[in-house]
Amino acid sequence: MNNADLEQSIRHCYSTWGDRYYADYYQSKTAYPPVHTDIIRDLLRQSEAKTLLDAGCGPASMLRDLDLPNLERFGFDLTPEMTAEARRVLATQNVPDSHIWEGSVLEASSFQQPGMSPPPTFDAVICFGVLPHIPAPSDLTVLTHLTDAVSSGGWVACEARNQLFALFTLNRYSADLFKTQLIQVEALRQRMQNPSEELALDQALEELDQRFRMDLPPLRKGYEQEPGYDEVLSRTHNPFELAAVARQAGLVEVQCLFYHYHALPPILEPLLPQAFRRESIAMENPTDWRGHFMASAFIVVGKRP
Ligand SMILES: C[S@@+](CC[C@H](N)C(=O)[O-])C[C@H]1O[C@@H](n2cnc3c(N)ncnc32)[C@H](O)[C@@H]1O
């Protein structure tokens, strides 16, 4: 799929989420609390940032909760239904409509507020929930655009779904991580020396699948006719690799901050839902090494020199 077709499928996927996304993922009692917004709020306070750009801002889900004194907020998003909702919500906080525009993180020009000449840079740029929808060869492009959008001394925070969490989930994602990233099945198959080795490898891989709940998690479908989250490109990232890409993009002091911890593998949550949620929240610590495996998301954070 080329980038234009991919972006069309993503826009379609999110087209029905504009007015329900914040209620479903930030306010609902069943949703995990938005601990990532707290991490960003702390970074904004510590750095005393005066301007913030949210690339892929959705319905201003984070921007509306980052209503800090002396912080000017800006955002853009690929999906018109998202930008319309972001403008509507932020207007109630006196943020001008012109601070929200449509654009793609794949285009350098999207990082400039339309009509501003020369384009300003920002003290901080955040990007949450977008990288899963970016094809792998463009990760560096996106990290470079984020870096170019901040002023010298400013910082970038880019969220990704944690690929290594699959080592803890014991489900379909685990089987995929084992086979594609760790074992690297296709390359291993090429090195089998005769048909009986090849057959034995196939049997071993079938047995491997039996170690995991291959029926979980359920596929997320769309609300109406549109494709669901698991029916469009929705990648995970290896924190070690993404930190390397961030450095390649020119960021320094790069670190990964982990969030959305799971006190037990999520397939066990139905056995003790309340304790599971309570203990998971109690684990939240962005710099705990266990986050590499027990947190489903991370933020790669770095400074522009
Ligand atoms: C999971 S939502 C996250 C929204 C918001 N950042 C948050 O964290 O609550 C992902 C958002 O990324 C947007 N998006 C996806 N691909 C994008 C791209 N290439 N450029 C800009 N936004 C994009 C979608 O339209 C959607 O609003």
Side-chain angles (χ1 to χ4, degrees):
M1 205 188 261
N2 63 34
N3 281 349
D5 289 343
L6 173 68
E7 289 189 341
Q8 190 46 40
S9 71
I10 304 292
R11 259 190 224 104
H12 194 193
C13 166
Y14 282 105
S15 60
T16 54
W17 292 24
D19 54 1
R20 62 185 302 163
Y21 187 82
Y22 186 77
D24 287 357
Y25 292 100
Y26 283 72
Q27 287 183 312
S28 148
K29 283 206 168 54
T30 55
Y32 199 75
V35 290
H36 56 290
T37 311
D38 297 336
I39 297 173
I40 295 301
R41 192 180 292 103
D42 286 348
L43 287 172
L44 288 166
R45 285 196 176 124
Q46 282 158 21
S47 62
E48 297 179 10
K50 301 268 181 298
T51 52
L52 168 68
L53 173 69
D54 186 348
C57 62
S61 20
M62 295 181 73
L63 283 179
R64 69 178 84 179
D65 289 342
L66 294 170
D67 187 10
L68 303 177
N70 306 321
L71 180 67
E72 267 206 282
R73 292 164 289 164
F74 301 82
F76 69 85
D77 197 279
L78 188 66
T79 307
E81 289 82 358
M82 290 293 197
T83 50
E85 180 66 2
R87 282 199 194 101
R88 189 190 69 75
V89 169
L90 290 179
T92 65
Q93 299 179 355
N94 301 318
V95 175
D97 278 2
S98 60
H99 282 208
I100 301 292
W101 59 94
E102 272 170 46
S104 168
V105 293
L106 291 171
E107 302 296 331
S109 58
S110 294
F111 288 75
Q112 301 161 12
Q113 189 185 0
M116 291 296 273
S117 173
T121 49
F122 302 88
D123 295 341
V125 177
I126 61 174
C127 183
F128 277 68
V130 179
L131 217 53
H133 305 308
I134 298 301
S138 299
D139 280 348
L140 178 59
T141 304
V142 173
L143 263 299
T144 303
H145 290 163
L146 294 169
T147 306
D148 289 347
V150 285
S151 325
S152 172
W155 52 269
V156 167
C158 181
E159 179 267 355
R161 298 169 69 201
N162 181 9
Q163 187 178 64
L164 300 182
F165 176 52
L167 286 171
F168 194 58
T169 55
L170 311 177
N171 59 13
R172 204 170 54 238
Y173 287 120
S174 317
D176 186 58
L177 179 75
F178 270 62
K179 286 192 251 183
T180 62
Q181 306 297 314
L182 299 176
I183 299 171
Q184 302 184 352
V185 166
E186 290 317 314
L188 183 62
R189 198 187 300 285
Q190 303 296 320
R191 296 199 297 276
M192 293 297 102
Q193 293 189 350
N194 53 54
S196 77
E197 278 191 359
E198 281 174 27
L199 187 64
L201 177 61
D202 284 340
Q203 284 167 346
L205 294 173
E206 265 177 43
E207 199 163 313
L208 181 67
D209 280 354
Q210 289 167 23
R211 301 288 194 275
F212 302 116
R213 282 291 302 269
M214 298 299 283
D215 56 325
L216 292 176
L219 277 185
R220 284 163 286 191
K221 303 260 182 203
Y223 295 106
E224 294 167 18
Q225 300 304 316
E226 81 288 6
Y229 189 86
D230 291 321
E231 296 169 316
V232 295
L233 179 71
S234 48
R235 298 166 53 221
T236 58
H237 286 77
N238 177 323
F240 297 108
E241 289 179 343
L242 195 61
V245 174
R247 287 186 195 100
Q248 216 184 327
L251 292 172
V252 297
E253 298 174 35
V254 172
Q255 54 171 334
C256 289
L257 302 178
F258 294 91
Y259 71 92
H260 198 159
Y261 278 77
H262 295 70
L264 290 162
I267 56 175
L268 305 176
E269 180 174 5
L271 296 174
L272 63 170
Q274 282 179 349
F276 183 94
R277 175 63 61 89
R278 183 187 66 237
E279 296 307 315
S280 299
I281 293 171
M283 280 188 75
E284 292 295 339
N285 171 358
T287 55
D288 187 335
W289 68 267
R290 292 179 299 171
H292 284 90
F293 311 103
M294 296 172 78
S296 56
F298 67 98
I299 315 166
V300 63
V301 180
K303 224 179 190 183
R304 182 170 178 177

